[in-house]
Protein backbone atom coordinates (compact mmCIF):
# COMPACT_ATOMS: atom_id res chain seq x y z
CA UNK A 1 0.00 0.00 0.00
CA UNK A 2 1.28 3.50 -0.89
CA UNK A 3 1.03 5.97 1.98
CA UNK A 4 0.32 9.58 0.96
CA UNK A 5 1.37 12.43 3.23
CA UNK A 6 -0.41 15.76 3.28
CA UNK A 7 1.80 18.39 4.85
CA UNK A 8 3.13 21.90 4.37
CA UNK A 9 6.54 23.11 5.46
CA UNK A 10 7.18 26.56 6.96
CA UNK A 11 10.31 28.16 5.50
CA UNK A 12 11.20 29.81 8.79
CA UNK A 13 11.22 26.37 10.45
CA UNK A 14 13.36 25.05 7.61
CA UNK A 15 15.79 27.91 8.22
CA UNK A 16 15.89 26.98 11.90
CA UNK A 17 16.77 23.39 11.04
CA UNK A 18 19.51 24.48 8.60
CA UNK A 19 21.11 26.76 11.17
CA UNK A 20 21.15 24.01 13.81
CA UNK A 21 22.46 21.51 11.24
CA UNK A 22 25.30 23.88 10.34
CA UNK A 23 26.25 24.81 13.89
CA UNK A 24 25.27 21.51 15.57
CA UNK A 25 24.42 23.67 18.58
CA UNK A 26 20.91 24.79 19.57
CA UNK A 27 22.09 27.66 21.75
CA UNK A 28 24.39 29.16 19.10
CA UNK A 29 21.78 28.71 16.37
CA UNK A 30 19.11 30.35 18.54
CA UNK A 31 21.33 33.40 19.06
CA UNK A 32 22.03 33.75 15.33
CA UNK A 33 18.31 33.49 14.58
CA UNK A 34 17.34 35.89 17.41
CA UNK A 35 15.13 33.23 18.99
CA UNK A 36 15.01 31.71 22.43
CA UNK A 37 16.37 28.18 22.59
CA UNK A 38 12.97 26.70 23.60
CA UNK A 39 11.30 28.47 20.63
CA UNK A 40 13.95 27.12 18.28
CA UNK A 41 13.59 23.59 19.63
CA UNK A 42 9.83 23.78 19.23
CA UNK A 43 10.13 24.89 15.59
CA UNK A 44 12.44 21.99 14.79
CA UNK A 45 10.10 19.52 16.47
CA UNK A 46 7.12 20.88 14.51
CA UNK A 47 9.13 20.59 11.30
CA UNK A 48 10.04 16.97 12.10
CA UNK A 49 6.39 16.25 12.86
CA UNK A 50 5.24 17.82 9.59
CA UNK A 51 7.83 15.90 7.58
CA UNK A 52 7.25 12.68 9.44
CA UNK A 53 10.93 11.98 10.18
CA UNK A 54 13.48 12.78 12.88
CA UNK A 55 16.09 15.13 11.43
CA UNK A 56 18.33 15.75 14.45
CA UNK A 57 19.49 13.52 17.26
CA UNK A 58 20.00 15.28 20.59
CA UNK A 59 21.79 13.80 23.60
CA UNK A 60 24.42 14.72 26.16
CA UNK A 61 27.19 14.41 23.59
CA UNK A 62 25.58 17.08 21.36
CA UNK A 63 23.54 17.34 18.19
CA UNK A 64 23.89 15.09 15.15
CA UNK A 65 22.11 14.81 11.83
CA UNK A 66 20.12 11.66 11.24
CA UNK A 67 20.10 9.95 7.88
CA UNK A 68 16.85 11.79 7.14
CA UNK A 69 18.46 15.08 8.23
CA UNK A 70 21.45 14.57 5.92
CA UNK A 71 19.09 13.89 3.02
CA UNK A 72 16.94 16.90 3.87
CA UNK A 73 19.75 19.47 4.42
CA UNK A 74 20.80 20.25 0.80
CA UNK A 75 17.21 20.52 -0.34
CA UNK A 76 16.39 22.66 2.69
CA UNK A 77 19.22 25.04 1.78
CA UNK A 78 17.91 25.19 -1.79
CA UNK A 79 14.38 25.90 -0.55
CA UNK A 80 15.60 28.82 1.56
CA UNK A 81 17.64 30.22 -1.33
CA UNK A 82 14.65 29.84 -3.63
CA UNK A 83 12.42 31.59 -1.10
CA UNK A 84 14.90 34.46 -0.81
CA UNK A 85 15.04 34.80 -4.58
CA UNK A 86 11.24 34.75 -4.74
CA UNK A 87 11.00 37.48 -2.09
CA UNK A 88 13.61 39.60 -3.87
CA UNK A 89 11.79 39.10 -7.17
CA UNK A 90 8.54 40.24 -5.56
CA UNK A 91 10.24 43.32 -4.09
CA UNK A 92 11.79 44.24 -7.45
CA UNK A 93 8.47 43.76 -9.22
CA UNK A 94 6.73 45.99 -6.65
CA UNK A 95 9.41 48.65 -7.29
CA UNK A 96 8.94 48.40 -11.05
CA UNK A 97 12.46 47.05 -11.57
CA UNK A 98 11.25 43.70 -12.87
CA UNK A 99 8.26 42.54 -14.88
CA UNK A 100 6.63 43.84 -18.07
CA UNK A 101 5.68 47.26 -19.40
CA UNK A 102 3.21 47.36 -22.30
CA UNK A 103 3.55 50.82 -23.84
CA UNK A 104 1.27 52.25 -26.52
CA UNK A 105 2.18 55.47 -28.33
CA UNK A 106 1.24 57.60 -31.31
CA UNK A 107 3.34 58.30 -34.39
CA UNK A 108 3.97 61.84 -33.16
CA UNK A 109 5.20 60.48 -29.83
CA UNK A 110 7.71 58.35 -31.72
CA UNK A 111 9.37 61.59 -32.89
CA UNK A 112 9.85 62.96 -29.38
CA UNK A 113 12.26 61.97 -26.61
CA UNK A 114 10.19 58.80 -26.07
CA UNK A 115 12.30 56.34 -28.16
CA UNK A 116 15.54 57.46 -26.49
CA UNK A 117 13.85 57.22 -23.11
CA UNK A 118 12.70 53.65 -23.79
CA UNK A 119 16.19 52.65 -24.91
CA UNK A 120 17.80 54.17 -21.81
CA UNK A 121 15.13 52.66 -19.54
CA UNK A 122 15.85 49.21 -20.96
CA UNK A 123 19.51 49.66 -20.05
CA UNK A 124 18.64 50.83 -16.54
CA UNK A 125 16.01 48.13 -15.92
CA UNK A 126 17.03 45.11 -18.01
CA UNK A 127 14.62 42.87 -16.08
CA UNK A 128 11.62 44.86 -17.33
CA UNK A 129 10.40 43.59 -20.71
CA UNK A 130 9.09 46.58 -22.69
CA UNK A 131 6.45 45.78 -25.33
CA UNK A 132 5.84 48.62 -27.80
CA UNK A 133 2.78 49.21 -29.99
CA UNK A 134 2.24 52.23 -32.27
CA UNK A 135 -1.44 53.20 -32.60
CA UNK A 136 -3.47 56.41 -32.85
CA UNK A 137 -4.48 58.43 -29.81
CA UNK A 138 -8.06 57.12 -29.54
CA UNK A 139 -6.83 53.54 -29.94
CA UNK A 140 -4.41 54.15 -27.06
CA UNK A 141 -7.36 55.11 -24.85
CA UNK A 142 -9.30 52.03 -25.92
CA UNK A 143 -6.31 49.75 -25.30
CA UNK A 144 -5.88 51.21 -21.81
CA UNK A 145 -9.53 50.61 -21.00
CA UNK A 146 -9.34 47.02 -22.24
CA UNK A 147 -6.19 46.36 -20.22
CA UNK A 148 -4.18 45.59 -23.35
CA UNK A 149 -1.47 48.14 -22.46
CA UNK A 150 -0.25 49.52 -19.13
CA UNK A 151 0.75 53.01 -20.24
CA UNK A 152 0.01 55.18 -23.24
CA UNK A 153 1.54 58.33 -24.72
CA UNK A 154 -1.20 60.20 -26.56
CA UNK A 155 -2.79 63.59 -27.23
CA UNK A 156 -5.29 65.23 -24.86
CA UNK A 157 -8.06 66.09 -24.44
CA UNK A 158 -9.12 62.50 -23.82
CA UNK A 159 -12.50 61.04 -24.69
CA UNK A 160 -12.31 58.92 -21.54
CA UNK A 161 -11.98 61.37 -18.63
CA UNK A 162 -11.64 58.55 -16.09
CA UNK A 163 -8.13 57.82 -17.36
CA UNK A 164 -5.32 59.24 -15.28
CA UNK A 165 -3.07 61.68 -17.13
CA UNK A 166 0.43 63.07 -16.73
CA UNK A 167 0.85 66.11 -19.03
CA UNK A 168 4.03 66.13 -21.11
CA UNK A 169 5.56 68.99 -23.13
CA UNK A 170 3.55 69.76 -26.26
CA UNK A 171 4.96 69.33 -29.77
CA UNK A 172 4.95 72.56 -31.80
CA UNK A 173 3.45 72.46 -35.28
CA UNK A 174 5.61 73.65 -38.18
CA UNK A 175 4.81 74.01 -41.87
CA UNK A 176 6.03 71.38 -44.34
CA UNK A 177 6.71 72.72 -47.84
CA UNK A 178 8.03 71.06 -50.97
CA UNK A 179 11.49 72.18 -52.06
CA UNK A 180 11.17 75.18 -54.40
CA UNK A 181 7.88 76.42 -52.93
CA UNK A 182 7.29 80.18 -53.11
CA UNK A 183 7.38 80.44 -49.29
CA UNK A 184 10.61 78.47 -48.93
CA UNK A 185 12.77 81.59 -48.72
CA UNK A 186 10.79 83.02 -45.79
CA UNK A 187 12.19 82.13 -42.33
CA UNK A 188 8.69 82.33 -40.85
CA UNK A 189 5.23 82.07 -42.37
CA UNK A 190 1.85 83.46 -41.31
CA UNK A 191 -1.55 81.89 -41.86
CA UNK A 192 -2.38 84.81 -44.16
CA UNK A 193 0.51 83.68 -46.39
CA UNK A 194 -1.32 80.38 -46.96
CA UNK A 195 -4.37 81.83 -48.72
CA UNK A 196 -5.39 79.60 -51.65
CA UNK A 197 -2.59 77.13 -50.92
CA UNK A 198 -3.58 73.45 -51.32
CA UNK A 199 -3.51 72.08 -47.78
CA UNK A 200 -3.03 68.52 -46.56
CA UNK A 201 -4.53 67.72 -43.17
CA UNK A 202 -5.37 64.83 -40.91
CA UNK A 203 -9.10 64.05 -40.77
CA UNK A 204 -10.94 65.99 -38.09
CA UNK A 205 -11.99 62.71 -36.49
CA UNK A 206 -8.37 61.93 -35.61
CA UNK A 207 -7.99 65.05 -33.43
CA UNK A 208 -11.03 67.35 -33.51
CA UNK A 209 -9.74 69.82 -30.91
CA UNK A 210 -6.41 70.42 -32.66
CA UNK A 211 -8.09 70.45 -36.08
CA UNK A 212 -10.49 73.18 -34.93
CA UNK A 213 -7.65 75.21 -33.40
CA UNK A 214 -5.73 75.16 -36.68
CA UNK A 215 -8.82 76.19 -38.66
CA UNK A 216 -9.42 79.00 -36.15
CA UNK A 217 -5.85 80.25 -36.73
CA UNK A 218 -6.55 80.47 -40.46
CA UNK A 219 -9.81 82.32 -39.97
CA UNK A 220 -8.27 84.71 -37.45
CA UNK A 221 -6.01 85.86 -40.31
CA UNK A 222 -8.98 86.13 -42.69
CA UNK A 223 -8.15 82.97 -44.61
CA UNK A 224 -10.39 80.01 -45.39
CA UNK A 225 -8.11 76.94 -45.66
CA UNK A 226 -8.33 74.95 -48.90
CA UNK A 227 -7.93 71.33 -47.80
CA UNK A 228 -7.34 69.23 -50.90
CA UNK A 229 -6.52 65.89 -49.27
CA UNK A 230 -6.73 64.21 -45.89
CA UNK A 231 -3.60 62.38 -44.76
CA UNK A 232 -2.56 60.50 -41.67
CA UNK A 233 -0.16 59.84 -39.99
CA UNK A 234 2.12 62.88 -40.21
CA UNK A 235 4.87 60.84 -41.83
CA UNK A 236 2.51 60.09 -44.71
CA UNK A 237 1.62 63.76 -44.92
CA UNK A 238 5.31 64.67 -45.22
CA UNK A 239 5.64 62.16 -48.06
CA UNK A 240 2.70 63.73 -49.89
CA UNK A 241 4.29 67.16 -49.48
CA UNK A 242 7.49 65.81 -51.03
CA UNK A 243 5.39 64.51 -53.93
CA UNK A 244 3.93 67.98 -54.51
CA UNK A 245 0.38 67.14 -53.41
CA UNK A 246 0.19 70.22 -51.20
CA UNK A 247 1.54 71.66 -47.97
CA UNK A 248 0.66 70.81 -44.39
CA UNK A 249 1.58 70.85 -40.74
CA UNK A 250 3.82 68.38 -38.93
CA UNK A 251 5.33 68.45 -35.47
CA UNK A 252 8.82 69.82 -34.87
CA UNK A 253 10.02 66.33 -33.97
CA UNK A 254 8.99 65.02 -37.39
CA UNK A 255 10.64 68.03 -39.04
CA UNK A 256 13.91 67.34 -37.22
CA UNK A 257 13.93 63.82 -38.66
CA UNK A 258 14.06 65.50 -42.13
CA UNK A 259 12.84 64.05 -45.41
CA UNK A 260 14.22 64.49 -48.94
CA UNK A 261 12.21 66.99 -50.96
CA UNK A 262 10.63 68.69 -47.94
CA UNK A 263 11.62 71.82 -46.04
CA UNK A 264 10.08 73.10 -42.83
CA UNK A 265 9.28 76.63 -41.69
CA UNK A 266 8.15 78.12 -38.39
CA UNK A 267 4.53 79.24 -38.37
CA UNK A 268 3.66 82.41 -36.50
CA UNK A 269 0.76 81.66 -34.16
CA UNK A 270 0.62 77.95 -34.90
CA UNK A 271 -0.72 75.76 -32.07
CA UNK A 272 1.13 72.85 -30.49
CA UNK A 273 0.06 69.23 -30.29
CA UNK A 274 -0.66 68.38 -26.63
CA UNK A 275 1.11 65.30 -25.26
CA UNK A 276 0.46 63.20 -22.18
CA UNK A 277 1.10 59.85 -20.59
CA UNK A 278 -2.05 58.04 -19.46
CA UNK A 279 -3.05 54.93 -17.56
CA UNK A 280 -6.33 53.26 -16.64
CA UNK A 281 -5.97 52.19 -13.01
CA UNK A 282 -6.02 54.54 -10.01
CA UNK A 283 -2.26 54.14 -9.91
CA UNK A 284 0.04 53.14 -12.77
CA UNK A 285 1.57 49.68 -12.64
CA UNK A 286 4.93 49.51 -10.83
CA UNK A 287 6.86 49.27 -14.12
CA UNK A 288 4.81 52.15 -15.55
CA UNK A 289 5.49 54.23 -12.46
CA UNK A 290 9.21 53.51 -12.73
CA UNK A 291 9.22 54.48 -16.43
CA UNK A 292 7.25 57.69 -15.85
CA UNK A 293 9.69 58.76 -13.15
CA UNK A 294 12.65 57.93 -15.39
CA UNK A 295 11.09 59.76 -18.35
CA UNK A 296 10.30 62.95 -16.45
CA UNK A 297 13.59 63.07 -14.54
CA UNK A 298 15.91 62.36 -17.45
CA UNK A 299 14.16 63.40 -20.66
CA UNK A 300 11.21 65.67 -19.89
CA UNK A 301 12.11 67.76 -16.84
CA UNK A 302 9.29 70.26 -17.50
CA UNK A 303 6.46 67.69 -17.20
CA UNK A 304 3.68 68.62 -14.77
CA UNK A 305 2.21 66.56 -11.90
CA UNK A 306 -0.53 64.07 -12.76
CA UNK A 307 -4.11 65.20 -12.36
Amino acid sequence: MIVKYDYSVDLRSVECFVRVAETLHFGRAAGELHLSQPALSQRVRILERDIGAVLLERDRRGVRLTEAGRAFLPLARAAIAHGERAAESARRAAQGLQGRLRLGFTVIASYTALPRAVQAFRRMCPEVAVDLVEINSLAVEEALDRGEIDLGVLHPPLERPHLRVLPLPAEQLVLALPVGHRLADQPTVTFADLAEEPMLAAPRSVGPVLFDRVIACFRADGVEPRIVQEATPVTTLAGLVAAGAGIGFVTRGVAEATRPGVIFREMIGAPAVPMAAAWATPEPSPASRQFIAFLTQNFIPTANPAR
Side-chain angles (χ1 to χ4, degrees):
M1 182 178 68
I2 298 175
V3 178
K4 294 184 178 180
Y5 295 95
D6 182 17
Y7 59 81
S8 60
V9 175
D10 173 52
L11 273 181
R12 178 60 170 167
S13 297
V14 173
E15 183 184 16
C16 290
F17 159 75
V18 170
R19 196 60 57 92
V20 175
E22 291 175 344
T23 61
L24 295 178
H25 195 287
F26 272 85
R28 192 178 307 134
E32 292 177 0
L33 292 167
H34 306 291
L35 292 173
S36 67
Q37 189 167 329
L40 174 61
S41 297
Q42 183 181 19
R43 277 191 172 272
V44 172
R45 283 195 298 270
I46 292 173
L47 177 64
E48 290 175 323
R49 183 200 65 194
D50 290 342
I51 292 174
V54 176
L55 303 174
L56 297 165
E57 291 179 342
R58 316 156 181 83
D59 56 29
R60 293 176 182 177
R61 291 177 295 175
V63 180
R64 294 179 302 281
L65 284 166
T66 65
E67 194 66 29
R70 282 190 290 273
F72 184 62
L73 180 57
L75 297 176
R77 286 177 174 141
I80 293 170
H82 187 73
E84 290 172 350
R85 286 195 299 271
E88 177 61 18
S89 179
R91 284 190 291 268
R92 290 181 64 78
Q95 295 167 1
L97 300 175
Q98 180 178 312
R100 183 171 297 276
L101 170 62
R102 299 168 300 167
L103 177 63
F105 58 95
T106 65
V107 172
I108 289 175
S110 69
Y111 285 89
T112 65
L114 182 65
R116 290 186 293 111
V118 169
Q119 187 178 44
F121 180 75
R122 279 175 161 151
R123 289 195 298 268
M124 186 189 79
C125 301
E127 295 179 73
V128 177
V130 183
D131 297 336
L132 302 174
V133 55
E134 183 184 291
I135 46 180
N136 65 46
S137 191
L138 180 57
V140 171
E141 292 189 49
E142 293 171 348
L144 287 170
D145 253 355
R146 291 195 296 264
E148 295 172 355
I149 59 175
D150 305 304
L151 185 68
V153 180
L154 38 56
H155 312 298
L158 273 57
E159 294 196 1
R160 291 165 168 76
H162 60 275
L163 295 175
R164 297 280 291 164
V165 172
L166 172 75
L168 302 175
E171 279 289 297
Q172 184 63 45
L173 287 180
V174 297
L175 183 65
L177 301 164
V179 171
H181 191 275
R182 66 179 182 86
L183 299 173
D185 292 334
Q186 297 183 198
T188 58
V189 180
T190 67
F191 282 90
D193 293 329
L194 304 183
E196 299 305 317
E197 286 287 342
M199 298 297 302
L200 308 171
R204 185 179 183 277
S205 59
V206 171
V209 174
L210 182 64
F211 183 94
D212 291 346
R213 287 181 62 193
V214 171
I215 298 301
C217 288
F218 274 100
R219 291 172 178 167
D221 273 5
V223 174
E224 192 62 32
R226 185 165 71 91
I227 299 175
V228 297
Q229 185 173 342
E230 293 183 337
T232 187
V234 290
T235 48
T236 298
L237 188 148
L240 292 173
V241 170
I247 64 176
F249 296 106
V250 301
T251 59
R252 182 166 289 142
V254 172
E256 290 173 352
T258 70
R259 185 186 180 97
V262 184
I263 59 174
F264 303 93
R265 292 293 178 264
E266 298 291 327
M267 279 293 300
I268 296 175
V273 178
M275 304 287 298
W279 56 92
T281 54
E283 293 296 331
S285 68
S288 298
R289 189 167 57 247
Q290 188 69 235
F291 178 73
I292 290 168
F294 180 78
L295 180 69
T296 55
Q297 291 170 11
N298 296 281
F299 289 86
I300 309 179
T302 57
N304 301 316
R307 65 167 171 80

